[in-house]
Amino acid sequence: MMKRIVMLGSGNVATNFALALKDKYQLVQIYSRTLANAQELAEKVGCEAVDDLKKVVNDAHVYIIAVNDDAIANVIDHTPRNDALWLHTSGSTPIEVFEGKRNHYGVCWPVQSLSKSNIVNMDEVHLFIEGNTDTAAQELEKLASAISHNVHQASSHDRLLLHIASVFACNFANHMFALSSEVLDEAGLPFDVMLPLIKTTVEKLDHMTPQQSQTGPATRGDIRIIEKHLSSLKGDKREIYKLLSRNLMQRREKNN
């Protein structure tokens, strides 16, 4: 008999997890505060949609909490307490959020930027897991392995550091793309002109460390060019450019 799963959440992570699990486990419910969102995902995986935590079934084998970090504790407090495996999908929320409230629990955090509109191949995503007991860890590893072949054990502390690293590598990097786009907009140029540069920068990481592949005026110590760039920038962009350039030059001096 296929194990029954309740997905508590209908957003980016919940959608990618549910679609990856639907042929290997039985999704029985999707919960969202907005019924339309729950129904949208429930239709894709063939299960019931609910918008009230009091309506969450009590007889599932696994409950996956895939909501905003600030809402995790509230979901735990307002769902039925049972002996199922409970887990959340947050990188920075410690496993202790379940302590004293559930018997078998853990964490399964994907190192990937997930969205509902761009479903990824979850088999290529690295999942970092932690269970509160050996039994919970074994059950969690089996479930995670049904999603991806890249499953790793990680403590709450290590996941926090991984999350910080991910913010630098993904969220902050994407913000740099957005600032680049705004600079180009001022000149009436399309962001597409940056795509070959961005792709080459990422591809270099297949055979070089980020430190080895770093280029640009700050890495060369080209103060004249940096000052020229700063004179053309205003507000936040100017301050961000100055801060990053200073940090790169300090690292250059330290390594020389």
Side-chain angles (χ1 to χ4, degrees), residues 19-209:
L19 293 175
L21 288 167
K22 72 182 184 71
D23 295 327
K24 299 162 185 176
Y25 287 78
Q26 182 186 359
L27 274 293
V28 294
Q29 269 186 338
I30 304 292
Y31 160 80
S32 174
R33 290 179 301 174
T34 304
L35 184 59
N37 292 340
Q39 289 173 332
E40 180 183 2
L41 180 53
E43 288 175 4
K44 294 177 181 178
V45 298
C47 71
E48 180 187 19
V50 295
D51 61 354
D52 185 348
L53 289 172
K54 294 179 181 178
K55 296 180 181 178
V56 172
V57 298
N58 193 34
D59 60 349
H61 299 99
V62 182
Y63 293 77
I64 301 176
I65 302 176
V67 297
N68 292 336
D69 287 26
D70 291 343
I72 293 174
N74 181 68
V75 170
I76 296 171
D77 289 340
H78 292 87
T79 44
R81 182 166 182 166
N82 55 31
D83 285 329
L85 174 65
W86 288 77
L87 60 109
H88 70 66
T89 60
S90 167
S92 293
T93 300
I95 192 173
E96 285 78 15
V97 70
F98 288 106
E99 194 169 358
K101 300 176 180 180
R102 297 293 187 273
N103 297 324
H104 308 290
Y105 53 86
V107 181
C108 182
W109 177 59
V111 182
Q112 181 56 278
S113 177
L114 301 176
S115 66
K116 296 167 68 171
S117 59
N118 183 35
I119 303 301
V120 304
N121 179 5
M122 290 295 291
D123 191 49
E124 298 176 356
V125 176
H126 289 264
L127 300 179
F128 287 84
I129 65 172
E130 180 182 15
N132 72 311
T133 64
D134 289 343
T135 299
Q138 290 171 8
E139 291 181 19
L140 182 50
E141 183 162 5
K142 183 177 180 181
L143 181 140
S145 296
I147 299 173
S148 171
H149 288 143
N150 298 299
V151 179
H152 318 272
Q153 297 283 342
S155 67
S156 292
H157 175 263
D158 288 347
R159 275 198 326 280
L160 175 63
L161 296 180
L162 282 161
H163 198 186
I164 293 170
S166 299
V167 169
F168 275 107
C170 176
N171 306 134
F172 289 166
N174 191 71
H175 184 54
M176 295 301 103
F177 301 155
L179 295 182
S180 171
S181 177
E182 291 175 10
V183 171
L184 291 169
D185 285 344
E186 293 178 14
L189 296 170
F191 182 69
D192 289 359
V193 302
M194 291 290 106
L195 295 182
L197 172 63
I198 293 170
K199 290 176 181 177
T200 298
T201 301
V202 173
E203 287 170 357
K204 285 195 295 184
L205 299 179
D206 286 337
H207 56 273
M208 301 172 71
T209 67

Side-chain angles (χ1 to χ4, degrees), residues 7-26:
M7 184 66 68
L8 297 157
S10 63
N12 298 326
V13 177
T15 298
N16 279 269
F17 267 54
L19 293 175
L21 288 167
K22 72 182 184 71
D23 295 327
K24 299 162 185 176
Y25 287 78
Q26 182 186 359

